[in-house]
């Protein structure tokens, strides 16, 4: 049975894609090998034809440790009608975690060996990612491959800070400026890019998930402030670096899409006027400015008003999750149109089945009306994984939990759109904390 969600998203899309393509601007485009997706003005193209899609977020795919479960998941994604899958190409652990990682079968790509990151290209390491890429090829799916994580989960970027920079009072943004850390990040992503650069299953490389000046452990330093362009400078260096390794695949930033506005929105909260973090540049992103970078081929953004504005979202409040989302969609559409680049809502979600039913159609419709033509709900889930009942070990922060194919309250699948498990409840709390950390 197809999920109602995916069927209705596809139905909506079908009706409106044609219009989106009619607006395609003729700009210079890269000539790429057959089967590679590229950009043409505000649209994507595959083999000279417009390429529009509903996508799936499934960061946990390489954490599955049987080939059967990977293939089964890909099959479900394919059956849902989704064409693009976003997944993590990072998982770093400490040497001290190695015994439990080995015992639980945890996927890890890098381990810190007391003096450096060492790549694990064995069967519990990059060979798992190899299988995901080959399964995507087999199922005609394309992957957004993400190199790192702003958050602590799965060995995020703060592990680099802790090990390489190491100073007692380090701030989160050191990751974006310290030369030794940048060299280490580049060494790792070079390994990934060179491993898969011939594959047409790669849709795009993504520099980092949800970069911000601040993390969920370390705070922002005094040099990562509105107007400092710390992230833009880093995006520029890293996108140029990836382009130097791979002339063909697209590159995207991976950010949440915060704006740096000279006159940021404000709202009343508890008797005082609060400057809106999504618009005042404090996050570090400058969505419109970053889009000027020549090697960022397209834009993506995320959308979680329910968790971003919990202080405004209560019974009797005039704040509406749906309304806020519509405005966020319009704002990004305008910026992407100005930059003449394609745009993806790369993650969006609300908790609650009724909320999804009420809100998603209007968000997706508005996205299509404003020329997006590709949407990726957070996140895809499957039932019927065999290994440990689908209850795979994953690493969050410096602890290992169980729960791949996690339900974080925003999950849906082709079989069922909701599935609540204890480990996933836990995950939801972490995700919410991460998002609420400002
Ligand atoms: C750690 O890995 C690096 C790079 O592979 C290597 O040069 C070094 O000798 C290793 N150190 C230890 C303590 O294993
Ligand atoms: C792993 O590294 C992080 C960062 O240095 C540290 O906070 C954590 O305690 C380490 N965990 C283990 C199990 O060694
Ligand atoms: C870290 O910050 C504390 C408190 O400000 C200060 O006393 C200490 O000297 C700092 N340590 C380093 C290594 O800068
Ligand atoms: C909610 O109501 C207040 C008071 O009338 C108003 O200032 C504010 O703009 C409203 N907020 C929204 C999101 O409409
Ligand atoms: C639905 O959304 C409302 C408003 O954000 C929220 O209060 C409620 O908890 C959500 N329902 C579920 C089941 O998550």
């Amino acid at each position: 049975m197809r999920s109602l969600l995916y069927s209705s998203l596809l139905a909506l899309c079908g009706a409106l894609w044609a219009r989106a393509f009619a607006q395609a601007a003729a700009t210079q485009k890269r000539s790429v090998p057959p089967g590679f997706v590229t950009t043409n003005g505000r649209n994507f193209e595959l083999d000279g034809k417009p390429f529009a899609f509903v996508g799936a977020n499934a960061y946990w795919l390489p954490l599955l440790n049987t080939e059967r479960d990977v293939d089964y998941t890909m099959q479900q994604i394919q059956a849902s009608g989704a064409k693009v899958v976003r997944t993590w190409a990072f998982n770093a652990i400490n040497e001290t975690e190695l015994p439990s990682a080995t015992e639980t079968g945890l996927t890890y790509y890098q381990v810190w060996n007391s003096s450096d990151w060492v790549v694990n290209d064995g069967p519990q390491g990059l060979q798992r990612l190899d299988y995901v890429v080959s399964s995507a090829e087999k199922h005609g799916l394309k992957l957004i491959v993400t190199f790192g994580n702003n958050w602590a989960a799965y060995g995020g970027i703060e592990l680099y800070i802790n090990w390489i920079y190491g100073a007692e009072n380090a701030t989160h943004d050191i990751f974006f400026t310290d030369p030794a850390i940048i060299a280490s990040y580049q060494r790792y992503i070079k390994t990934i890019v060179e491993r898969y650069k011939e594959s047409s299953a790669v849709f795009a490389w993504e520099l980092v998930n949800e970069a911000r000046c601040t993390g969920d452990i370390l705070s922002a330093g005094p040099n990562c402030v509105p107007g400092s362009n710390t992230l833009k400078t880093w995006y520029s260096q890293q996108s140029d670096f990836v382009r130097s390794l791979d002339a063909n695949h697209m590159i995207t930033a991976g950010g949440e899409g915060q704006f740096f506005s000279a006159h940021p929105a404000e709202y009343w909260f508890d008797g005082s006027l609060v400057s809106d973090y999504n618009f005042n540049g404090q996050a570090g992103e400058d969505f419109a400015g970053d889009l000027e970078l020549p090697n960022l081929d397209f834009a993506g953004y995320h959308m979680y008003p329910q968790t971003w504005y919990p202080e405004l979202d209560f019974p009797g409040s005039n704040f509406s999750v749906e309304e806020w989302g519509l405005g966020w969609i319009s704002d990004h559409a305008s910026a992407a149109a100005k930059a003449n680049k394609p745009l993806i809502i790369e993650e969006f979600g609300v908790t609650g089945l009724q909320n999804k039913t009420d809100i998603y159609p209007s968000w997706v419709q508005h996205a299509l009306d404003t020329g997006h033509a590709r949407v990726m709900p957070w996140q895809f889930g499957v039932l019927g994984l065999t290994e440990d009942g689908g209850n795979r070990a994953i690493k969050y922060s410096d602890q290992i939990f169980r729960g791949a194919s996690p339900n974080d309250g925003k999950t849906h699948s082709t079989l069922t759109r909701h599935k609540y498990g204890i480990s996933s409840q836990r995950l939801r709390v972490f995700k919410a904390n991460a998002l609420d950390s400002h």
Side-chain angles (χ1 to χ4, degrees):
M1 193 182 81
R2 276 174 129 196
S3 105
L4 291 179
L5 172 73
Y6 273 89
S7 318
S8 49
L9 291 181
L10 288 167
L12 270 169
C13 292
L16 286 136
W17 279 340
R19 192 198 309 171
F21 293 132
Q23 300 164 349
T27 47
Q28 69 197 40
K29 55 173 185 163
R30 247 192 321 276
S31 136
V32 295
F36 281 48
V37 180
T38 192
T39 65
N40 185 3
R42 291 174 68 192
N43 293 313
F44 294 109
E45 272 189 9
L46 172 59
D47 297 331
K49 296 201 188 77
F51 183 75
F53 58 87
V54 170
N57 276 284
Y59 70 82
W60 43 271
L61 262 164
L63 294 163
L64 300 173
N65 66 6
T66 70
E67 296 184 348
R68 180 268 173 205
D69 280 356
V70 172
D71 285 332
Y72 174 79
T73 303
M74 290 293 193
Q75 217 174 61
Q76 298 294 308
I77 291 175
Q78 184 197 41
S80 77
K83 296 185 197 166
V84 174
V85 186
R86 178 165 174 259
T87 202
W88 293 169
F90 53 87
N91 269 292
I93 64 169
N94 297 334
E95 200 176 19
T96 50
E97 293 172 303
L98 199 47
S100 76
T102 308
E103 188 199 329
T104 57
L106 178 78
T107 300
Y108 67 97
Y109 305 138
Q110 294 196 95
V111 59
W112 185 262
N113 76 351
S114 310
S115 61
D116 207 349
W117 288 117
V118 179
V119 166
N120 171 18
D121 58 8
Q124 209 176 313
L126 288 176
Q127 289 177 26
R128 294 239 173 104
L129 193 56
D130 295 347
Y131 196 78
V132 169
V133 173
S134 70
S135 184
E137 282 167 358
K138 203 158 60 189
H139 291 90
L141 296 167
K142 307 281 179 198
L143 299 169
I144 296 179
V145 177
T146 309
F147 297 141
N149 196 8
N150 192 68
W151 313 114
Y154 326 112
I157 65 179
E158 288 185 7
L159 268 188
Y160 288 73
I161 300 172
N162 284 312
W163 288 121
I164 297 170
Y165 188 80
E168 195 186 340
N169 296 332
T171 56
H172 182 81
D173 50 295
I174 292 290
F175 179 83
F176 304 109
T177 56
D178 182 70
I181 292 179
I182 289 175
S184 180
Y185 166 85
Q186 289 189 344
R187 194 181 56 158
Y188 178 64
I189 71 175
K190 184 166 192 269
T191 304
I192 301 293
V193 171
E194 290 188 338
R195 208 169 171 96
Y196 307 116
K197 68 188 258 193
E198 306 303 333
S199 176
S200 63
V202 173
F203 179 83
W205 307 116
E206 182 167 287
L207 301 177
V208 72
N209 174 53
E210 300 187 340
R212 285 190 190 180
C213 289
T214 185
D216 46 10
I217 299 171
L218 301 177
S219 56
N223 298 323
C224 203
V225 292
S228 65
N229 278 331
T230 309
L231 292 188
K232 184 176 183 181
T233 303
W234 186 82
Y235 285 151
S236 170
Q237 289 168 351
Q238 307 325 316
S239 56
D240 291 353
F241 176 71
V242 176
R243 178 61 68 230
S244 76
L245 302 172
D246 179 354
N248 293 323
H249 286 109
M250 298 182 292
I251 303 167
T252 193
E256 292 160 297
Q258 292 100 355
F259 293 93
F260 172 37
S261 157
H263 305 287
E266 294 177 317
Y267 54 83
W268 285 101
F269 173 63
D270 214 10
S272 37
L273 205 49
V274 179
S275 167
D276 193 326
Y277 186 86
N278 278 312
F279 293 91
N280 66 16
Q282 266 178 37
E285 259 204 283
D286 171 2
F287 182 79
D290 297 346
L291 270 181
E292 295 159 3
L293 296 172
N295 283 322
L296 290 183
D297 296 291
F298 64 89
Y301 66 100
H302 301 177
M303 184 159 77
Y304 296 104
Q306 200 184 39
T307 37
W308 285 345
Y309 297 94
E311 76 275 34
L312 298 179
D313 182 18
F314 55 88
S317 147
N318 64 357
F319 176 83
S320 150
V321 167
E322 180 181 342
E323 287 293 323
W324 190 91
L326 294 174
W328 191 239
I329 290 168
S330 296
D331 293 338
H332 288 87
S334 308
K338 211 176 251 175
N340 197 30
K341 290 186 178 178
L343 179 64
I344 302 179
I345 311 187
E346 201 192 36
E347 289 188 19
F348 67 93
V350 293
T351 62
L353 190 54
Q354 192 60 44
N355 286 335
K356 290 181 179 67
T357 310
D358 290 346
I359 296 174
Y360 286 6
S362 110
W363 280 357
V364 171
Q365 180 70 56
H366 190 55
L368 291 165
D369 288 346
T370 51
H372 291 53
R374 42 266 147 178
V375 296
M376 304 189 60
W378 182 273
Q379 65 166 312
F380 199 85
V382 290
L383 298 175
L385 297 177
T386 52
E387 196 261 330
D388 281 348
N391 198 22
R392 286 294 312 121
I394 60 167
K395 176 177 170 165
Y396 201 105
S397 190
D398 58 353
Q399 291 181 67
I400 293 173
F401 296 108
R402 307 193 73 81
S405 184
N407 184 347
D408 55 5
K410 304 189 186 83
T411 304
H412 32 74
S413 74
T414 44
L415 300 175
T416 157
R417 285 171 294 167
H418 57 296
K419 169 191 159 213
Y420 298 98
I422 283 175
S423 42
S424 50
Q425 288 298 341
R426 212 187 235 160
L427 254 188
R428 175 167 61 161
V429 170
F430 285 120
K431 180 79 181 171
N433 285 346
L435 292 165
D436 288 345
S437 62
H438 53 278

